[in-house]
Structure formats: structure tokens, C-alpha cells
Amino acid sequence: DIQMTQSPSTLSASIGDTVTITCRASQRISSWLAWYQQKPGKAPKLLISKASSLKSGVPSRFSGRGSGTDFTLTISNLQPDDFATYYCQQYNTYSWTFGQGTKVEIK
Amino acid sequence: QVQLVESGGGLVKPGGSLRLSCAASGFSFSDYYMSWIRQAPGKGLEWVSYISSSSSSIDYVDSVKGRFTISRDNAKNSLYLQMNSLRAEDTAVYYCARSLEWLTLPADLWGQGTLVTVSS
């Protein structure tokens, strides 16, 4: 199985900051990578697919980059609604795998 | 309203069985691949199983192979997960999720989840 490794595990930031989360795949996955946002007690919500394609309705302050094995999610001008846990996920194989998550918390 | 609604979770003893259901509405269920994804308390997400739109293709994570069975009824817009020989490590919130294609599209809609607790 492809292993997905996110860093950092926790990130402390302030309103208005720009933050970047990194996701690394154990083998090349082209651009078949998604990013999800999850808030406590809620289901994950899809933010980005194919590494950089923003889902309709997702604010443009979210952006994704990368291909192959290294990917990033950047949130610019952090807003109160953005404090949550973020997961990357590869869908290049029949067995999907997720990163362990990055919690973005208020500094 | 486009939504997925899971049901069937609860408390079960180790070795017991449970059947989860996922009711789809507001979209053409039969067009979509469906999957089950779980999240143990305080932990990350783990894909459990998927089923193709016609049920012709199915797969499971190794840890549930031989114990869990995924199925669907397109006439009833419903997805199921039969879970047998349950273990403590199966305790989790189970989400159903849809994907229009496998290998090229991720899950774009998730249900709210149903909690399965395996404990004596």
C-alpha cells in the first residue's frame, strides 16, 4: 500500500497568517491527490482534487500544489472557519490511503 | 437534497455482527462508486471498502477481508456493510462516501457517519 505522510501534525497560527501543510507519498501517484477538511464531530469535506483543482464553492485562499510524491496545501489569510484538521488522500490505487492529519489550531 | 445518511451503528460484543446502511438521495446513486471509510476515536481516516456502480468490482482493506462484506441495492439507493467477527479495533465512526469514478476522482460527498463500538 502507498503510505501518506503529512507534516506537521499540529500547526498553531493566527488569523490572517499563511500556512502550508506538506504531504508525501511513499511512491509516485502522479497528481491523484485530494485534500479534505474535517471539523470536530463532522464528516470530512473535499477541498481539492487532482492535487490543485479547487472544488466549486471552496474559498480561493485554499490552494494545492505538487505531483509525483510531494504535495502541499496552502491556506492564505487564515480565517476563523479554517481552524480544523486537514487530511491528504491518494486515490491512485484501488486501496485509498490517507495522511495522518494536520490540526490547524489558533495560536 | 443531495445527501448520504448512515444508520445501523451501535454497541456490539467482540465476535458479534452488525449491518450498516447508507441511504442516498438527491443524485443518481447507480452512477457512483461507493465506499466505506472509518475513523477510530481521536484517530485519522482509514478506507475500508469500495464497490463499483454495478457491484462488479469490490475491494477491502486487508484488516477486514473475510469479515466484512460490502453490497448495494441500486433500486433502493442504498449501500450496506455487513460486519462479522467484530473486534475492538473495529470501533470507529463509519462514513459512506461517493465517487463518480475510481482511481481518477476522490470522494466528493460523505455521510454524517455512524458509530460502531465493539466492547464487552
Side-chain angles (χ1 to χ4, degrees), chain B:
Chain B
Q1 185 179 1
V2 177
Q3 64 178 359
L4 296 167
V5 179
E6 302 93 337
S7 60
L11 175 63
V12 61
K13 290 182 168 56
S17 297
L18 212 54
R19 189 193 195 208
L20 305 184
S21 299
C22 169
S25 59
F27 65 96
S28 182
F29 178 74
S30 60
D31 287 342
Y32 285 80
Y33 285 73
M34 297 297 297
S35 54
W36 289 97
I37 297 159
R38 66 185 178 184
Q39 187 170 36
K43 302 298 184 182
L45 300 166
E46 179 184 40
W47 168 81
V48 173
S49 180
Y50 89 91
I51 185 168
S52 63
S53 54
S54 64
S55 303
S56 60
S57 182
I58 287 173
D59 201 6
Y60 303 91
V61 68
D62 284 347
S63 60
V64 309
K65 283 180 179 176
R67 300 189 299 122
F68 289 13
T69 302
I70 192 171
S71 62
R72 66 190 295 164
D73 185 336
N74 287 342
K76 294 183 177 179
N77 292 332
S78 293
L79 173 73
Y80 306 101
L81 186 67
Q82 177 66 44
M83 303 186 296
N84 299 330
S85 302
L86 282 161
R87 306 166 180 167
E89 54 265 36
D90 296 318
T91 294
V93 174
Y94 285 73
Y95 297 100
C96 63
R98 75 174 193 183
S99 177
L100 193 56
E101 295 178 7
W102 206 251
L103 299 181
T104 56
L105 288 173
D108 70 339
L109 178 69
W110 298 52
Q112 85 290 349
T114 187
L115 177 62
V116 172
T117 303
V118 184
S119 174
S120 56

Side-chain angles (χ1 to χ4, degrees), chain A residues 9-65:
Chain A
S9 297
T10 306
L11 192 161
S12 297
S14 302
I15 302 297
D17 284 353
T18 294
V19 300
T20 297
I21 300 168
T22 297
C23 178
R24 175 164 289 176
S26 62
Q27 56 188 273
R28 296 182 65 84
I29 58 171
S30 184
S31 297
W32 306 119
L33 184 106
W35 290 97
Y36 296 89
Q37 178 193 68
Q38 186 180 35
K39 296 183 178 180
K42 302 294 186 182
K45 290 184 177 180
L46 178 65
L47 299 175
I48 288 171
S49 62
K50 211 171 180 185
S52 60
S53 295
L54 206 63
K55 183 182 177 184
S56 176
V58 173
S60 58
R61 61 181 181 272
F62 291 91
S63 63
R65 297 189 64 179

Side-chain angles (χ1 to χ4, degrees), chain A residues 67-81:
Chain A
S67 66
T69 60
D70 294 314
F71 303 87
T72 58
L73 172 70
T74 298
I75 312 172
S76 304
N77 187 23
L78 204 61
Q79 296 299 297
D81 192 49

